[in-house]
Amino acid sequence: MYLNDKITLLLLLAVGSAFSFVWLLLCKERLRIKWPAALLLAVLHTVCGVLCVKVFAVVEVGFDMSKAGNMSLFGGIFILPLFYYLGAKLTRRKPAEVFDVFTICMIFTLMCARFNCILSGCCAGKVIPGMSIRWPTRELEILFYIVLLFWLGRLVRQSKRVGMIYPLYMIAYGAFRFLTEWLRTYETTALLHRGHVWALITLALGLSIYYTQREKIQKRGGKQRR
């Protein structure tokens, strides 16, 4: 990675940390934290996010460094929640509240990572047949993240769908990535490839978590706010 690429990545990570800090301040009552803790958590979230996407990029190719990409955004989806759950248990916070709030941080952080893909020239779409331009897969994913930020962020701020925000994100992203994988450049010409598999796993896990959570709420006699 060239020096300019590193500077660009650091700037994007700084933007991601700044957003997370502001968002955590807006949700400080739900998490029962003050601004110093919000600042520390915002920075830690960004650092952990970078580690997750880089580690997963190696894991998904069977630790073959010659085939590993720079990062895999699925790492954020599969690994970051482990930090959320551990943090909730260690600080005696409700996991549902922690997941709801930090899912928004995850979405924005991954959106910054996709911006980095555009600037670094990776993860491009296939050339559109009969044309000299490529499918704007990275741009579409950024637009998708923006829509999710407004939709899910609004639910979190209004304390609606408590405990459902993360699985809703998984369902939406899994379905989106499964469709757009056909438009992305890949090292194989197979109809279905590794990206499709991870997208389906994301979708399936999201549906499983969503309906499990809903069943728990119904058994407790609770009513899920919409």
Side-chain angles (χ1 to χ4, degrees):
M1 183 181 291
Y2 296 105
L3 179 60
N4 287 342
D5 293 335
K6 290 183 178 180
I7 293 175
T8 299
L9 178 58
L10 288 174
L11 288 175
L12 286 171
L13 294 177
V15 171
S17 297
F19 173 88
S20 295
F21 174 57
V22 173
W23 175 252
L24 292 176
L25 285 180
L26 292 174
C27 302
K28 63 181 184 297
E29 286 80 13
R30 290 186 65 172
L31 296 178
R32 293 180 284 115
I33 59 174
K34 296 182 179 180
W35 77 262
L39 178 60
L40 177 61
L41 287 171
V43 174
L44 286 175
H45 185 271
T46 299
V47 172
C48 289
V50 172
L51 290 175
C52 289
V53 297
K54 286 187 173 294
V55 168
F56 198 78
V58 178
V59 172
E60 70 176 355
V61 293
F63 298 94
D64 186 346
M65 298 300 294
S66 64
K67 296 180 180 180
N70 189 38
M71 60 181 66
S72 172
L73 300 195
F74 285 112
I77 296 173
F78 295 136
I79 304 177
L80 265 178
L82 300 178
F83 290 97
Y84 299 163
Y85 185 79
L86 182 62
K89 289 300 182 181
L90 290 176
T91 61
R92 298 182 180 179
R93 263 73 174 178
K94 292 182 179 179
E97 297 285 356
V98 173
F99 271 78
D100 283 357
V101 172
F102 277 94
T103 295
I104 306 303
C105 296
M106 179 195 295
I107 293 172
F108 193 90
T109 301
L110 296 182
M111 184 178 72
C112 289
R114 194 55 82 197
F115 266 112
N116 185 63
C117 291
I118 294 176
L119 296 174
S120 62
C122 67
C123 304
K126 295 179 180 178
V127 175
I128 300 175
M131 303 180 69
S132 59
I133 60 175
R134 296 178 178 273
W135 290 104
T137 53
R138 298 167 300 188
E139 293 78 3
L140 286 174
E141 188 163 335
I142 289 172
L143 179 61
F144 175 76
Y145 282 133
I146 292 173
V147 172
L148 282 183
L149 285 172
F150 279 99
W151 172 43
L152 297 179
R154 182 170 176 268
L155 292 179
V156 175
R157 290 292 292 158
Q158 295 178 350
S159 296
K160 294 182 178 180
R161 298 293 186 92
V162 176
M164 300 292 196
I165 303 303
Y166 179 64
L168 282 173
Y169 164 58
M170 293 187 77
I171 293 169
Y173 188 70
F176 175 84
R177 276 296 296 268
F178 183 80
L179 295 175
T180 58
E181 281 299 306
W182 276 304
L183 305 178
R184 290 160 53 97
T185 54
Y186 219 73
E187 67 269 15
T188 177
T189 57
L191 181 62
L192 297 176
H193 51 71
R194 186 174 63 243
H196 285 106
V197 174
W198 291 124
L200 283 177
I201 291 174
T202 300
L203 175 60
L205 283 176
L207 288 169
S208 177
I209 296 171
Y210 180 87
Y211 286 108
T212 299
Q213 286 289 95
R214 193 174 72 169
E215 185 178 350
K216 287 181 180 179
I217 292 173
Q218 291 174 345
K219 285 183 178 180
R220 291 198 301 263
K223 185 177 180 181
Q224 184 67 46
R225 287 177 286 180
R226 297 182 180 275

